[in-house]
Amino acid sequence: MKAKKLLIKIVTGILFGLLILSFAVWGIGDIFREGGQTQVIAEVGTRQVSDRQFSQDLNREINRLSQQFGSQITMEQAQAFGIVQQVLDRQVGQALFAEQAHRFGMTVTEPQIQQEILEQPAFKDQFGDFSRDRFIQVLRSAGLDEASFVAAMTRDIEREQISRAVIAGVQGPRNLAELLFNYQAETRVADFVRLPHDGVTDLPEATDEQLQTFYDENADSFMTDETRDITLVQIRPDDLLDEIAVPEEEVKAEFEDRKEQLSVPERRTIEQIVLNSQEEAQAAKDQIAGGADWAAVAQEQTGSAPISLGTLSRQELFPDLGEPAFALEVN
């Protein structure tokens, strides 16, 4: 047990040591200056946080809090309230987990992301089913497009997997565990006596003053819930389609503005063989180039079948894997 705790402390220390050694910030104030080229404001290993990426995340957070509080938060207030530092800390933390996931060779598949999205309560309709319209509506209200949300979901899955690996097997102090158990398992033994109404006699009749006092102290119990009569007029887009003619020029302009949302990214169905050295990789490549079966080479070299990564777009893969995968010819 001591050895396991020591191992967990070492892994945790490595993760946060990476953050301390690799994190470099050149100044928060610089990112609010207009003009100039895109700057890198933070680095964690090979991961970078740009001023543009930071500004977009910060603006979304300010807009979210402004809607929540009912008034627009200024940039000066955001800095005074610590919102700026919170956003930066969050992005650095995300970069830390993304860097560690890359070093571990972790890959989040498309089915995983789809399952996570389908299970989100915010995207379900009144019947408990996933609603594509509600999904788009929630993303728009949050200032996100679908690609950005999927990227964020990928980071969340990676972070959760790493966190689980770090804290797996960690046990709390015995005293704390006993207190929590006693609180959750606590019970009571109660004795009671039932007194029927007709068994209570010889009670004095209440005076008007006593009745008024009781009513004043319990007025809410004698009130009927307030009600409203509502008339709802619903107009759906389908009801007006026959009356609206959209010029082709406007359709083209709208498409150009939303091309990234409406375009379907190119995808590849990818399998990979994970080998221990460049020499083994070259040997496998030579076998496949010579006509050997891909699965047979994987079985021979690794003792197992190839690893399927699913059908993914270029943006869903690490650059080191995505670029060569999409550069290959079909099949």
Side-chain angles (χ1 to χ4, degrees):
M1 183 62 67
K2 292 183 178 179
K4 182 182 293 185
K5 292 182 178 180
L6 178 60
L7 177 59
I8 293 172
K9 290 182 178 179
I10 293 174
V11 174
T12 306
I14 293 174
L15 288 176
F16 287 95
L18 174 64
L19 173 62
I20 295 172
L21 294 176
S22 303
F23 176 41
V25 180
W26 284 281
I28 299 299
D30 293 340
I31 68 174
F32 301 115
R33 298 175 184 171
E34 297 182 358
Q37 298 179 347
T38 300
Q39 297 182 6
V40 176
I41 63 172
E43 288 184 352
V44 180
T46 62
R47 305 287 157 173
Q48 296 180 339
V49 178
S50 68
D51 57 347
R52 181 177 303 174
Q53 175 187 358
F54 173 79
S55 297
Q56 291 175 346
D57 200 2
L58 178 60
N59 288 333
R60 279 195 293 266
E61 184 68 11
I62 291 176
N63 291 336
R64 184 185 69 82
L65 293 176
S66 297
Q67 293 178 0
Q68 180 178 342
F69 295 137
S71 61
Q72 183 61 40
I73 298 176
T74 65
M75 189 59 66
E76 291 74 16
Q77 290 174 323
Q79 290 181 281
F81 295 158
I83 300 174
V84 174
Q85 189 61 45
Q86 291 175 9
V87 172
L88 181 60
D89 291 344
R90 182 169 64 238
Q91 289 197 338
V92 171
Q94 292 172 350
L96 169 64
F97 279 99
E99 174 68 12
Q100 199 62 42
H102 176 61
R103 296 187 180 186
F104 286 160
M106 298 172 58
T107 301
V108 179
T109 64
E110 185 175 3
Q112 284 181 280
I113 298 174
Q114 289 178 344
Q115 187 63 32
E116 287 288 336
I117 293 176
L118 293 176
E119 293 178 354
Q120 292 293 322
F123 304 145
K124 294 184 177 181
D125 57 21
Q126 64 269 30
F127 303 108
D129 298 324
F130 173 78
S131 171
R132 174 73 180 178
D133 293 338
R134 182 162 180 79
F135 172 68
I136 298 299
Q137 181 183 359
V138 172
L139 293 192
R140 285 180 178 174
S141 63
L144 293 171
D145 56 31
E146 189 170 347
S148 300
F149 178 77
V150 170
M153 181 72 70
T154 301
R155 293 193 296 268
D156 289 343
I157 295 174
E158 291 175 346
R159 182 166 60 250
E160 182 180 359
Q161 291 176 343
I162 294 176
S163 300
R164 286 179 179 178
V166 172
I167 66 175
V170 175
Q171 296 184 354
R174 183 178 181 85
N175 292 339
L176 176 60
E178 291 178 351
L179 287 174
L180 292 175
F181 174 78
N182 291 336
Y183 174 77
Q184 294 178 350
E186 192 174 27
T187 60
R188 290 288 187 273
V189 177
D191 294 328
F192 66 93
V193 177
R194 185 187 299 274
L195 298 177
H197 290 289
D198 55 6
V200 181
T201 59
D202 300 330
L203 291 178
E205 186 175 351
T207 64
D208 292 342
E209 291 77 10
Q210 290 174 325
L211 293 174
Q212 186 64 46
T213 300
F214 180 83
Y215 173 80
D216 293 339
E217 292 177 350
N218 302 274
D220 292 342
S221 301
F222 298 97
M223 295 295 180
T224 302
D225 292 337
E226 190 174 14
T227 60
R228 290 287 189 274
D229 290 332
I230 299 177
T231 300
L232 173 65
V233 178
Q234 182 179 13
I235 300 178
R236 300 171 299 176
D238 292 344
D239 298 330
L240 304 176
L241 285 179
D242 296 337
E243 304 177 18
I244 300 175
V246 181
E248 185 176 353
E249 293 74 14
E250 293 186 16
V251 175
K252 290 181 178 179
E254 182 70 14
F255 174 77
E256 291 297 329
D257 291 339
R258 300 172 54 191
K259 182 180 295 184
E260 293 184 359
Q261 300 177 18
L262 301 176
S263 300
V264 178
E266 189 178 8
R267 297 180 180 274
R268 294 286 189 275
T269 299
I270 299 176
E271 293 181 347
Q272 68 176 4
I273 302 174
V274 179
L275 301 168
N276 296 322
S277 67
Q278 181 68 28
E279 291 75 14
E280 292 181 4
Q282 186 62 49
K285 179 181 178 182
D286 293 341
Q287 286 181 276
I288 296 171
D293 179 69
W294 165 266
V297 173
Q299 188 68 37
E300 177 184 343
Q301 294 285 349
T302 66
S304 60
I307 300 174
S308 175
L309 302 183
T311 303
L312 307 171
S313 67
R314 188 190 303 265
Q315 290 74 21
E316 294 171 322
L317 293 166
F318 292 116
D320 290 346
L321 183 59
E323 295 301 329
F326 278 78
L328 293 174
E329 296 181 0
V330 178
N331 296 324

